[in-house]
């Protein structure tokens, strides 16, 4: 079998799901088997489409079973930009598509090719709307009650309202946020309402979206300790691990990092310096199914749990599901369960889910495919979604 082409599709189904369009990648072969991947990012779609055209000569004509060799080939070709960002996005989408092709060629689900299942379903956690998009603690309480009633027991939210930040006149140059005492109090009120609605046994997480200065991150972490969180996510930006160490040494709250850490190499200092209690690689950005498995094994050796990040399109959650079926140190797979309706409009078959779990099927490969008959109506121009500042 030989790879013959790479095709890209930029798709926006509705405003009820992702605010940015999904970038799907299909790898075609001379035997009629097509592999599905995804490279969705908030801003990078136009540049990534060009990048996929750039790497075509590198992989057209190659046997798609050579998943590792192709991973290494793309990664090292762009070693002068350190194999991160655009490179790891390219690697991820192609890797996922090649695993899909391999599964279809062998008539096996991908999780069976990754060592086989260690569980019979994959538990999920979901979100309530972040505070900056909602109206206050009563809203948090009501939304949490709704999600609990839908069968979820693990919930993440961002309780920090950036509109109330103090002391800065942002022109966009400084993206490190300063949290005022009022903003921290609002965050605590928000999380107290979530805990009140969810009950004492619900598993709650707070996402800081990697945007606070170190002192704000520490102050907010301390103020939230009583909520008994599973984790406090990306309290500081990912570039400076000494800042993360400072948060760790000055708070009593489990920490999670990873959606902005790309490839196994970015995880080495997190593990070696015991900076995190959970890791959350994004399968579309960190290096695909192959790399998620490797990072999962690294985490296992440090007795750290893994919880794949997911905030993109359906290939993201489904490829994360296949890894999660096989990783013994899984915590939960992230989802935005309210997006599943939009997923089902463009997939045939759709993945199977029940309550707060995704269920395996015997479908070969990823077990999902784009429905090209309906996809046409959702194709959009990625340039029109660019928002900067
Ligand atoms: Mg996050």
């Amino acid at each position: 079998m030989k790879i013959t082409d790479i095709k890209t599709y930029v798709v926006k189904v509705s405003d009820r799901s992702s605010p940015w369009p999904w970038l799907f990648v299909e790898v075609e072969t001379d035997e009629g088997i097509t592999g599905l991947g995804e490279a969705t990012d908030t801003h990078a779609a136009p540049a990534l489409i060009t990048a996929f055209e750039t790497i075509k000569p590198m992989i057209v004509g190659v046997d798609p079973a050579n998943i590792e060799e192709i991973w290494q080939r793309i990664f090292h070709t762009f070693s002068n930009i350190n194999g991160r960002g655009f490179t790891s996005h390219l690697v991820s989408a192609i890797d996922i598509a090649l695993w899909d092709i391999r599964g279809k060629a062998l008539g096996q689900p991908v999780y069976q090719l990754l060592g086989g299942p260690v569980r019979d379903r994959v538990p999920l956690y979901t979100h309530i709307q972040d505070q900056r998009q909602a109206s206050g603690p009563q809203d948090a309480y009501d939304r949490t009650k709704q999600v609990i009633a839908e069968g979820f027991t693990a919930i993440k939210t961002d309780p920090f309202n950036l509109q109330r930040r103090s002391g800065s006149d942002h022109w966009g140059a400084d993206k490190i946020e300063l949290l005022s005492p009022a903003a921290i109090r609002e965050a605590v009120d928000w999380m107290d309402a979530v805990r009140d609605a969810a009950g004492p046994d619900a598993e709650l997480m707070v996402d800081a979206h990697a945007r606070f200065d170190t002192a704000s991150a520490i102050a907010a972490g301390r103020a939230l300790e009583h909520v008994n969180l599973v984790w406090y996510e990306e309290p500081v930006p990912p570039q400076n691990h000494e800042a993360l160490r400072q948060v760790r040494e000055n708070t009593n709250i489990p920490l999670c990092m990873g959606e902005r850490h790309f490839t196994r190499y970015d995880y080495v200092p997190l593990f070696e310096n015991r900076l995190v209690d959970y890791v959350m690689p994004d399968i579309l950005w960190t290096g695909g199914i192959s790399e998620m498995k490797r990072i999962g094994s690294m985490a296992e050796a440090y007795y750290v749990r893994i919880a794949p990040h997911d905030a993109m399109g359906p290939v993201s959650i489904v490829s994360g599901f296949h890894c999660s079926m096989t990783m013994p140190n899984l915590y939960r797979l992230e989802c935005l369960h309210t997006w599943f309706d939009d997923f089902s409009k463009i997939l045939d078959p759709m993945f199977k889910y029940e309550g707060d779990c995704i269920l395996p099927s015997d479908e070969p490969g990823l077990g999902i495919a784009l429905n090209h008959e309906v996809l046409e109506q959702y194709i959009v121009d990625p340039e029109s979604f660019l928002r900067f500042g």
Side-chain angles (χ1 to χ4, degrees):
M1 194 186 300
K2 299 277 187 263
I3 295 170
T4 55
D5 203 359
I6 305 170
K7 298 237 171 75
T8 53
Y9 304 89
V10 181
V11 174
K12 181 87 164 67
V13 176
S14 84
D15 290 332
R16 289 186 297 278
S17 53
S18 173
W20 46 82
W22 299 322
L23 171 54
F24 297 115
V25 178
E26 286 188 334
V27 175
E28 297 180 344
T29 68
D30 60 356
E31 295 189 17
I33 295 178
T34 297
L36 177 60
E38 183 179 343
T40 303
D41 190 281
T42 51
H43 294 93
L48 281 165
I49 290 166
T50 303
F52 281 112
E53 290 295 321
T54 305
I55 63 166
K56 258 187 208 177
M58 201 187 304
I59 69 168
V60 166
V62 179
D63 185 341
N66 297 352
I67 299 172
E68 182 66 33
E69 197 275 327
I70 292 170
W71 196 107
Q72 298 286 345
R73 187 187 295 211
I74 302 170
F75 181 74
H76 290 294
T77 294
F78 297 102
S79 64
N80 286 348
I81 54 172
N82 200 18
R84 308 296 199 279
F86 283 44
T87 307
S88 56
H89 285 49
L90 295 176
V91 169
S92 301
I94 299 297
D95 179 88
I96 293 166
L98 296 184
W99 277 109
D100 190 27
I101 291 171
R102 193 72 184 137
K104 288 172 176 170
L106 297 173
Q108 292 286 328
V110 168
Y111 68 83
Q112 292 289 8
L113 308 181
L114 300 176
V118 297
R119 53 183 52 83
D120 64 3
R121 58 191 59 207
V122 168
L124 303 169
Y125 74 85
T126 192
H127 289 246
I128 62 162
Q129 206 157 24
D130 296 340
Q131 199 205 167
R132 63 184 184 275
Q133 299 157 331
S135 62
Q138 184 61 47
D139 202 9
Y141 183 92
D142 295 342
R143 289 173 188 273
T144 303
K145 281 286 187 196
Q146 171 70 32
V147 169
I148 295 285
E150 291 175 73
F152 287 87
T153 58
I155 301 168
K156 189 164 86 183
T157 187
D158 179 340
F160 302 105
N161 191 343
L162 296 187
Q163 306 309 312
R164 303 292 180 83
R165 69 192 172 210
S166 68
S168 61
D169 54 345
H170 280 240
W171 286 9
D174 177 9
K175 288 299 185 190
I176 307 301
E177 301 286 344
L178 178 71
L179 279 172
S180 68
I184 292 176
R185 181 180 47 74
E186 283 184 10
V188 171
D189 289 348
W190 178 267
M191 288 311 302
D192 284 345
V194 173
R195 172 59 78 197
D196 192 23
D201 296 331
E203 298 162 27
L204 303 181
M205 289 141 273
V206 159
D207 192 353
H209 285 112
R211 64 184 193 261
F212 299 143
D213 66 282
T214 310
S216 293
I218 291 169
R222 283 181 173 169
L224 290 167
E225 284 174 5
H226 70 280
V227 182
N228 191 23
L229 297 175
V230 173
W231 76 54
Y232 180 32
E233 176 175 323
E234 294 193 304
V236 288
Q239 294 87 5
N240 185 340
H241 287 156
E242 285 305 309
L244 186 62
R245 183 202 300 279
Q246 211 175 327
V247 175
R248 191 148 182 82
E249 291 176 349
N250 289 283
T251 56
N252 184 24
I253 192 166
L255 299 180
C256 180
M257 297 287 283
E259 72 184 79
R260 292 169 178 81
H261 284 71
F262 300 154
T263 79
R264 76 202 82 154
Y265 305 107
D266 280 357
Y267 285 83
V268 170
L270 292 178
F271 294 133
E272 285 286 294
N273 298 307
R274 308 294 305 177
L275 294 176
V276 290
D277 302 283
Y278 296 83
V279 288
M280 43 171 301
D282 187 298
I283 203 160
L284 304 189
W285 304 338
T286 207
I289 288 170
S290 301
E291 201 70 350
M292 181 69 78
K293 279 288 288 181
R294 288 190 275 256
I295 295 166
S297 292
M298 290 166 71
E300 186 187 0
Y302 287 88
Y303 312 126
V304 168
R305 291 201 181 271
I306 188 165
H309 174 252
D310 175 68
M312 302 294 137
V315 184
S316 170
I317 193 166
V318 169
S319 49
F321 156 79
H322 282 276
C323 292
S324 298
M325 282 291 288
T326 71
M327 297 192 294
N329 52 329
L330 175 76
Y331 165 56
R332 289 172 180 271
L333 173 63
E334 184 171 14
C335 79
L336 292 126
H337 73 288
T338 52
W339 295 13
F340 288 2
D341 284 347
D342 277 358
F343 292 170
S344 68
K345 288 178 185 159
I346 55 167
L347 295 182
D348 187 15
M350 168 68 176
F351 60 86
K352 294 199 295 185
Y353 62 96
E354 185 179 279
D356 65 345
C357 291
I358 295 184
L359 308 178
S361 77
D362 294 328
E363 293 280 342
L366 293 175
I368 57 168
L370 295 177
N371 181 341
H372 281 278
E373 281 184 21
V374 304
L375 200 68
E376 197 63 33
Q377 65 185 291
Y378 300 118
I379 299 285
V380 294
D381 172 11
E383 303 273 356
S384 66
F385 286 87
L386 290 178
R387 302 275 187 278
F388 297 109

